[in-house]
Amino acid sequence: MSVRLRIISAIQQIAVEQQVNLPPLDDDLSLHETGFDSLGFAILVARLEDDLGIDPFTISEDASFPLTIGDFIKAYENVPA
């Protein structure tokens, strides 16, 4: 499964667990509009670190948190091997 699909799957699973009604997930959707709160994003990043073995937001000193779903996915796809 691709990184993109793993991230989308994790978002959908956490939304069910946190009882968040997700809008359609596309690359231009603002992370603010997902309905996730800070706990939801913390759970997402922790699960992705367990699943993918990386946290792109702590690897780089100059990393900033992305604004859209597409930016979030790219942060994981663009981590150097």
Side-chain angles (χ1 to χ4, degrees):
M1 185 184 309
S2 72
V3 169
R4 172 179 288 277
L5 291 177
R6 289 162 84 172
I7 292 170
I8 296 296
S9 177
I11 291 171
Q12 291 169 335
Q13 181 180 9
I14 293 166
V16 169
E17 294 167 3
Q18 298 290 313
Q19 300 177 353
V20 171
N21 187 15
L22 282 176
L25 298 176
D26 64 51
D27 283 353
D28 295 326
L29 180 68
S30 166
L31 292 176
H32 177 72
E33 294 172 339
T34 62
F36 276 29
D37 58 12
S38 59
L39 176 60
F41 283 112
I43 293 169
L44 176 60
V45 171
R47 287 206 189 155
L48 291 173
E49 184 173 11
D50 287 346
D51 182 33
L52 302 173
I54 55 171
D55 177 353
F57 310 110
T58 59
I59 290 174
S60 174
E61 291 180 13
D62 62 347
S64 60
F65 204 76
L67 300 177
T68 66
I69 293 287
D71 294 339
F72 187 85
I73 292 170
K74 285 178 192 168
Y76 281 88
E77 291 176 331
N78 293 333
V79 171

